[in-house]
Amino acid sequence: MKNKGLIYAVDDESDIIELLQHHLEKAGYEFKGFYDALSFLHHLREKKPDLIILDLMLPDYDGIELCKELKKEENYKNIPVIMLTARTKLEDKILGFEIGADDYVTKPFSPRELVARVNAVLRRYREKQEEKNILEAGKILKMDIDKFEVYVYDKKVDLRPAEFKILKLLLEKRGVLLKREQILEHISKRGKFVYERTVDVHIRNLRKKLGEAGKFIKNIKGMGYKFEE
């Protein structure tokens, strides 16, 4: 069976960890369980999971505070968290969602339902990630960042790496004026000396290759460039 992702579960009850392991591995996930926050955090620094199942009442840490810290950390904030707890009060659920939890499951729980929730949360995250990696403009231009491909009216346009980087930067910062030195810093390798006028050459070639979509790249005389639909 294809590996569907790595799941970490943090819960001080061994029977819960064993139950989760059995059903998640059966569903095609790689699984690792932890009985306290300290061992979980140590392992988290070594390898990030695709999703975390987190008990709120841990022996060495408050689950709410742990979730809050994870969602603040740049390296971990995009890892989805499902809270698994005996706390059934509405206030606890609301608090869980307010601090960034993606789902809230109360004990006792159905293992089949939990697996279904894991599937649903991961599907939402992966769809959102895919959307982030597709940049579009005016129903004319489409950029697939993962595949390193650009299309104008569904026709593929071959760009050099520097041209691709410039277009990606302009699309991500659309409407914002970017000075030549900013663009240059984005495309230049560290230690490699390149003239600012190189940017003008890349932009000129980029506009030509993009055809009608090239009109979106505006030259602000004496200042720089911006992408404007």
Side-chain angles (χ1 to χ4, degrees), residues 7-222:
I7 309 292
Y8 284 175
V10 195
D11 196 301
D12 60 341
E13 297 180 60
S14 59
D15 55 337
I16 295 290
I17 292 293
E18 289 170 12
L19 186 67
L20 291 172
Q21 181 169 9
H22 173 75
H23 286 277
L24 286 165
E25 287 183 347
K26 187 179 176 182
Y29 291 100
E30 185 182 349
F31 178 88
K32 188 158 187 65
F34 304 92
Y35 298 107
D36 57 75
L38 193 62
S39 58
F40 159 70
L41 289 169
H42 176 75
H43 209 85
L44 183 66
R45 294 185 193 101
E46 295 178 358
K47 189 174 183 181
K48 291 195 291 186
D50 294 284
L51 182 141
I52 298 165
I53 298 172
L54 179 63
D55 184 14
L56 292 189
M57 294 180 283
L58 298 170
D60 59 342
Y61 221 104
D62 179 83
I64 290 286
E65 289 303 314
L66 181 55
C67 182
K68 202 183 291 185
E69 287 183 22
L70 290 173
K71 292 300 179 179
K72 283 180 183 176
E73 282 283 336
E74 190 64 35
N75 285 337
Y76 310 130
K77 68 180 184 181
N78 291 322
I79 303 174
V81 175
I82 295 179
M83 289 189 163
L84 181 63
T85 176
R87 297 183 190 174
T88 58
K89 289 182 179 179
L90 181 60
E91 305 86 75
D92 291 320
K93 291 184 180 182
I94 292 171
L95 179 58
F97 287 122
E98 282 180 345
I99 64 168
D102 298 271
D103 207 344
Y104 194 104
V105 178
T106 56
K107 301 175 183 178
F109 62 94
S110 159
R112 286 181 61 190
E113 181 188 352
L114 183 67
V115 170
R117 286 175 182 256
V118 167
N119 290 337
V121 169
L122 280 174
R123 185 168 58 249
R124 287 199 303 271
Y125 259 76
R126 285 163 179 168
E127 285 172 356
K128 196 184 296 182
Q129 191 60 42
E130 285 173 11
E131 287 172 9
K132 280 183 184 177
N133 293 333
I134 301 290
L135 300 173
E136 295 180 304
K139 297 183 180 178
I140 299 175
L141 177 67
K142 179 181 177 182
M143 169 179 269
D144 189 322
I145 296 168
D146 288 336
K147 294 181 180 178
F148 200 81
E149 293 176 348
V150 173
Y151 295 86
V152 175
Y153 286 124
D154 295 325
K155 184 179 179 182
K156 190 176 177 182
V157 178
D158 292 320
L159 299 181
R160 292 186 172 189
E163 294 164 352
F164 189 91
K165 285 181 180 179
I166 290 171
L167 181 59
K168 177 175 176 285
L169 179 65
L170 288 167
L171 279 166
E172 289 175 337
K173 303 283 187 181
R174 65 184 77 193
V176 176
L177 172 65
L178 296 171
K179 294 180 180 179
R180 286 181 177 84
E181 55 264 34
Q182 288 177 280
I183 298 172
L184 194 61
E185 188 179 334
H186 185 72
I187 64 171
S188 298
K189 292 180 181 176
R190 190 171 294 178
K192 185 178 179 182
F193 183 75
V194 186
Y195 290 103
E196 282 186 23
R197 289 296 169 187
T198 304
V199 172
D200 297 329
V201 175
H202 285 313
I203 294 283
R204 187 164 61 246
N205 292 336
L206 185 56
R207 277 175 168 163
K208 189 176 179 181
K209 290 181 180 181
L210 293 178
E212 189 177 336
K215 67 185 179 184
F216 295 140
I217 302 174
K218 309 292 185 183
N219 180 7
I220 311 302
K221 196 171 181 180

